[in-house]
Amino acid sequence: MTIRTVATTPFAGQKPGTSGLRKKVKVFAQPHYLENFVQAIFDSIGAVAGKTLVVGGDGRYYNRTAIQTILKMAAASGFAAVMVGQGGILSTPAASCVIRKYRTFGGIILSASHNPGGPDEDFGIKYNIPAGGPAPEAITEAIFARSQEIGEYRILDAADVDLDTLGTQRLGAMTVEVFDPVADYAALMESLFDFAAIRALFAGGFRMTFDAMHAVTGPYAAAILEGRLGAPRGTVMNGVPREDFGAGHPDPNLVHAAELVAIMFGADAPDFGAASDGDGDRNMILGRNFYVTPSDSLAVLAANATVCPGYKAGLKGIARSMPTSAAADRVAAALGIEAYETPTGWKFFGTLLDAGLATLCGEESFGTGSDHVREKDGLWAVLMWLNVLAARRDSVAAIVTAHWRKFGRNVYSRHDYEGVDSEAANGLMAHLRGLSLTGRRLGAYEVVVNDDFAYTDPVDGSVSTRQGIRVVFGDGSRIVYRLSGTGTEGATLRVYIERYEPDAAKHHLDPQEALADLIAIARDVAEIERRTGRTEPTVIT
Ligand code: G16
C-alpha cells in the first residue's frame, strides 16, 4: 500500500460556520473538496503521528464514502489508530463521550445536524478537540486559513475498510477499530440517571413516544428506552436510521416533527413525547397537549437537577446562549449560582464546562446538555426529564406551570425567515447595525440597550464580536436578530422575541398573542417585509 501525494488547489468558502463546514452533498462530492478540508484539519491540529482519532457520523447520504476517505487520509498522515462507530454511525454526543473516555486526539464528526439528507441535500464535517467539544474559533480559523493555501494532500492507496464488522483491522500501518456506537454512551447515561426509578415509572403504565426521525438516535433510544428501561416496544418511532431520514427534515420542532406533535396533541396522547435530530444532539420535549420551549426546558431541568444521581451535589453554574430566554437565569439566581450568557454555538460552552464554572447549558435551538460531555445531548435531556417525571410523579404540564408560578414566565418565541436572498438579509442586518435606538420609545416600550452582542470568554479571554443585534427594553423584554450560521441555501434570518410575565393569570396565553405587540415592533424596526418580501416567518418555535 502506498501513500499518494495529490496536487490540489484551494476551494473558496471552506469556512466553518456555527458548527463545522456544512454544504450540499454535491459540493462535498467534487474531486478534492472533502480531501482538502480533511488535510486542512490534520495540518492545523498539531502533530498527529501516533495519535488516535474518533470518526463517525449521523448515517446520512455520503457518510460512508466520506469515512473511507478520512480513514485513508488518517493512515497517510501517520495516525496510529482510528476508532469508527459500527456502520459509520456515531451520534454527536456519543462521539464526544468516546473522545473523552478513551482520551483520543479528538474526532471528526460527519453531520449536517437537523438539515435534510440525500444526494441533493446537505452534508457536514467538523473536528472536535480532545476535551470532546467542537473546536473553538481559533482552531476553526486556522483550518480555514490552511484550506485557503493548500497545495497537496496525502492519501493511502488501499481497499475500503469493512465498517460493519466489530473488531480491529489494519489499514497500512494504522489500526482501525470498529466499535459499538451505543455501549459507552448508554453506560454514561446509566451513571447519571436513576434507571431503577425510570424503570418503575414505565412498569406503572407511564406511556411515552420518542421520535428518532429516521436519524441517528434510533439505535440509542431503542437500546436505552426499550432495552435498559423497559419501555414497551414501539415507544421509539421512526427508529431506523436512513440515509435521507425517510425524506424528512430531521429537526425536532413543532413544524418538522409534525407526526409526533399530532400524537401528543391527539386523543389518548401518551404522557410524554420527545424527538431528537439528525445527529442526536437536539431535543424537543412535549407533554400530553403541551409543548415545552427549549428555554423553559433548561430552566425546569436546572431547578429539578438534584433529583438525578449525577447532579445530586447541585449545579456549579448555568450557561445559555444570548438569544435563549432568561428563564434559566432566574433559577440560577434562586440557587445562588452564576448564570453565563454566551454567543450562539455550543463551542462557547466548552471553556466554562472545562473550568468547572457551569454544569448545565442550553440553547433556544433545541439544545440542552451538561458537563458529562462537551456537546449538547438530545437523549440525555430526554432521560433527565424522565428522571424528573419519575421523581415528581406529576405531568409535564403540571411541572412546567408550577415552575412558572414560582419563577414567573419568560414568554418566548423565535421567528425564522428561511431561504431569504443573502444580499437582502445582509442589507437588513446592516440597517439594524446602523440604528441607534437606545433611549427611544417603540410602542409601549423604552429601549435601554441596543447593541451588537460581543462576548469575552471569562476563562481564556477570547473575544467574539457581531453575535446578534439586541434591542432590550426597560421591563427586560427583548428582541434579538441574527443570521443563522448553519444554513446552506440563501440566508436564514432569526428573530427572537421575549417578555417576562410575572402574573400567573396570564401564563396560559399563547405566546404569539402575548408577544403580539413586540412581534409587530420587531418586523417594523427591521423592515422585514420591505427588505425580504416576506410577510410571514417560515418557521415559528
Ligand atoms: C448548531 C450549534 C448550536 C446553534 C445551532 C443554531 O447546532 O451547535 O449552538 O444554536 O446550530 O445555529 P444558527 O442559529 O447559527 O443556525 P446543530 O444542532 O446544528 O449542530
Side-chain angles (χ1 to χ4, degrees):
M1 274 181 269
T2 50
I3 293 172
R4 230 172 358 113
T5 300
V6 182
T8 188
T9 49
F11 289 90
Q14 290 202 326
K15 190 174 173 62
T18 308
S19 184
L21 185 68
R22 290 188 190 162
K23 302 281 179 196
K24 293 287 172 204
V25 167
K26 293 209 152 62
V27 175
F28 271 105
Q30 299 172 80
H32 310 313
Y33 191 92
L34 174 71
E35 290 85 345
N36 277 14
F37 192 72
V38 171
Q39 190 67 56
I41 294 176
F42 292 164
D43 290 349
S44 308
I45 57 177
V48 301
K51 303 275 175 51
T52 298
L53 186 73
V54 171
V55 177
D58 62 11
R60 69 178 57 225
Y61 182 82
Y62 209 61
N63 192 47
R64 285 174 176 265
T65 311
I67 288 176
Q68 296 291 352
T69 299
I70 293 166
L71 288 174
K72 292 169 194 171
M73 290 186 66
S77 282
F79 276 97
V82 174
M83 298 175 64
V84 194
Q86 188 179 25
I89 291 285
L90 201 51
S91 82
T92 293
S96 186
C97 160
V98 171
I99 290 169
R100 292 168 66 76
K101 184 165 176 176
Y102 298 103
R103 299 175 191 279
T104 72
F105 196 57
I108 291 182
I109 302 178
L110 302 163
S111 170
S113 187
H114 52 292
N115 295 0
D120 296 318
E121 300 294 355
D122 294 357
F123 191 72
I125 175 169
K126 69 173 179 177
Y127 172 69
N128 276 30
I129 58 176
E137 273 183 347
I139 295 178
T140 56
E141 288 297 332
I143 294 170
F144 174 57
R146 181 73 192 123
S147 79
Q148 296 307 290
E149 58 180 31
I150 197 157
E152 60 182 39
Y153 62 82
R154 288 176 302 287
I155 188 160
L156 190 72
D157 262 331
D160 280 359
V161 170
D162 170 5
L163 297 177
D164 298 299
T165 309
L166 292 174
T168 301
Q169 304 163 52
R170 302 294 298 180
L171 183 60
M174 189 179 87
T175 302
V176 177
E177 188 199 337
V178 176
F179 68 98
D180 174 353
V182 176
D184 294 306
Y185 177 81
L188 177 60
M189 293 301 111
E190 194 152 7
S191 75
L192 296 173
F193 300 115
D194 187 347
F195 272 32
I198 302 173
R199 254 194 307 271
L201 183 73
F202 281 122
F206 178 89
R207 288 187 305 137
M208 155 176 197
T209 299
F210 179 87
D211 188 353
M213 304 187 85
H214 285 304
V216 79
T217 43
Y220 295 86
I224 295 173
L225 298 174
E226 297 179 6
R228 298 190 186 207
L229 292 171
R233 277 185 75 90
T235 296
V236 178
M237 66 189 254
N238 299 325
V240 178
R242 299 245 167 89
E243 287 200 331
D244 67 347
F245 306 118
H249 192 143
D251 195 357
N253 63 34
L254 294 173
V255 175
H256 296 306
E259 199 182 346
L260 175 69
V261 172
I263 292 171
M264 295 308 298
F265 285 81
D268 193 32
D271 302 285
F272 184 50
S276 191
D277 71 330
D279 61 330
D281 57 1
R282 297 184 175 205
N283 73 92
M284 176 169 69
I285 300 295
L286 300 164
R288 184 182 293 135
N289 280 304
F290 196 88
Y291 162 63
V292 187
T293 68
S295 297
D296 278 343
S297 179
L298 172 66
V300 170
L301 292 180
N304 290 279
T306 52
V307 304
C308 306
Y311 304 92
K312 209 167 56 192
L315 307 178
K316 294 171 187 147
I318 308 172
R320 63 164 174 86
S321 66
M322 180 274 283
T324 302
S325 98
D329 301 14
R330 296 178 183 278
V331 177
L335 294 174
I337 57 176
E338 202 66 40
Y340 298 90
E341 186 178 42
T342 62
T344 294
W346 203 262
K347 56 186 176 230
F348 292 104
F349 294 134
T351 51
L352 301 174
L353 295 169
D354 287 347
L357 296 177
T359 308
L360 290 199
C361 310
E363 293 187 284
E364 49 67 37
S365 55
F366 297 85
T368 332
S370 87
D371 58 0
H372 68 291
V373 290
R374 292 296 181 273
E375 290 277 4
K376 56 187 182 278
D377 189 344
L379 210 44
W380 168 90
V382 173
L383 291 168
M384 192 156 184
W385 264 98
L386 280 170
N387 201 151
V388 171
L389 290 162
R392 295 199 32 181
R393 297 278 170 160
D394 232 338
S395 71
V396 172
I399 289 172
V400 176
T401 50
H403 183 93
W404 291 339
R405 277 196 299 281
K406 180 166 177 193
F407 293 95
R409 178 177 184 187
N410 286 75
V411 187
Y412 186 84
S413 186
R414 184 177 102 186
H415 288 199
D416 289 343
Y417 297 82
E418 296 172 319
V420 170
D421 174 67
S422 294
E423 218 171 292
N426 289 329
L428 183 146
M429 292 303 287
H431 157 70
L432 287 170
R433 287 201 172 92
L435 296 176
S436 158
L437 299 173
T438 308
R440 276 188 44 195
R441 277 199 90 74
L442 297 174
Y445 303 87
E446 190 190 338
V447 181
V448 293
V449 177
N450 175 212
D451 63 0
D452 197 345
F453 181 63
Y455 176 68
T456 303
D457 187 300
V459 180
D460 66 14
S462 58
V463 176
S464 303
T465 56
R466 293 164 73 93
Q467 297 294 328
I469 304 290
R470 301 192 293 183
V471 183
V472 185
F473 301 102
D475 67 348
S477 299
R478 295 193 303 169
I479 299 168
V480 174
Y481 304 88
R482 26 181 313 279
L483 297 184
S484 161
T486 57
T488 56
E489 251 178 71
T492 293
L493 169 67
R494 303 204 195 283
V495 186
Y496 313 78
I497 308 118
E498 174 178 3
R499 192 166 67 77
Y500 180 63
E501 179 56 76
D503 182 358
K506 294 186 185 151
H507 285 167
H508 66 282
L509 288 178
D510 179 87
Q512 303 309 314
E513 275 172 50
L515 298 170
D517 56 347
L518 285 168
I519 291 169
I521 292 170
R523 290 183 187 181
D524 207 39
V525 167
E527 303 175 356
I528 292 175
E529 187 170 346
R530 189 176 79 69
R531 290 175 175 275
T532 67
R534 303 293 178 84
T535 51
E536 292 297 328
T538 38
V539 177
I540 295 181
T541 54

